[in-house]
Amino acid sequence: MNNVNGAASACASFDITVSGFAGSYGAAESCLSSCGCPEGIREDVWNRLTKWAEKTLSGYASSVKTESIHKLLWDIGEKKHGFTVNVRDIPLHQEAVEICEALGLNIYELESADLEVQISTYPYPEGHVRIGEIIPGRDKLLINGEDVSCMNRPGTD
């Protein structure tokens, strides 16, 4: 919210909401296309993650594939909207996070399936959770605990 002009300022009531899980499809694909168990990962853990990946890809077989959540958020900003997003509020599957850590991937850059990111007002569409808000200006801010950073263009770290 804009603290200078108060709640009556432009954009104070628009939020960014998401349904689905970010990066799960890409993490599952990466897991199954990897050449065996990565170094430093216990084999039983990798076998569990591989089974999760198989089940996930099977479940997403008829789903709409989407770009990464990073790209979807960037597109919102390109429409001349500034925003803040709390990274910890983005829905992620724990198994996808573990796969990304094992393979050195950024989960926020991976392809998703059945992921929808949109600008909403309260009450939010069914199945959507709030991850951030629209703010005046063009800043694309990511909040991770006490850290606030500007979002980079997709594909760059």
Side-chain angles (χ1 to χ4, degrees):
M1 179 167 56
N2 184 337
N3 292 326
V4 175
N5 296 321
S9 66
C11 302
S13 63
F14 294 98
D15 294 321
I16 297 177
T17 61
V18 63
S19 69
F21 294 89
S24 292
Y25 182 82
E29 274 193 328
S30 298
C31 177
L32 295 180
S33 66
S34 69
C35 299
C37 181
E39 190 173 321
I41 304 296
R42 291 188 352 225
E43 194 163 328
D44 63 316
V45 171
W46 190 249
N47 288 338
R48 177 182 56 84
L49 295 173
T50 300
K51 287 178 185 169
W52 174 86
E54 290 169 348
K55 181 179 173 185
T56 298
L57 287 182
S58 174
Y60 283 144
S62 63
S63 299
V64 175
K65 308 314 180 271
T66 61
E67 298 176 286
S68 70
I69 191 162
H70 189 164
K71 176 71 167 80
L72 295 173
L73 288 170
W74 186 265
D75 290 346
I76 288 174
E78 287 296 293
K79 295 176 183 166
K80 307 209 185 319
H81 296 295
F83 60 80
T84 61
V85 167
N86 188 335
V87 175
R88 295 178 183 180
D89 289 341
I90 296 172
L92 303 171
H93 280 119
Q94 180 60 37
E95 294 85 354
V97 172
E98 292 176 34
I99 290 167
C100 288
E101 287 176 359
L103 298 176
L105 302 172
N106 181 343
I107 195 166
Y108 304 108
E109 292 283 348
L110 295 178
E111 184 178 29
S112 299
D114 286 341
L115 181 72
E116 185 178 357
V117 178
Q118 66 184 42
I119 298 173
S120 303
T121 58
Y122 190 81
Y124 306 131
E126 189 173 332
H128 281 245
V129 295
R130 180 186 186 276
I131 62 169
E133 65 185 350
I134 299 297
I135 60 173
R138 303 233 10 219
D139 292 337
K140 301 169 195 69
L141 303 175
L142 301 176
I143 300 169
N144 189 1
E146 296 293 317
D147 296 330
V148 177
S149 61
C150 291
M151 178 183 266
N152 293 327
R153 288 187 183 280
T156 62
D157 282 332

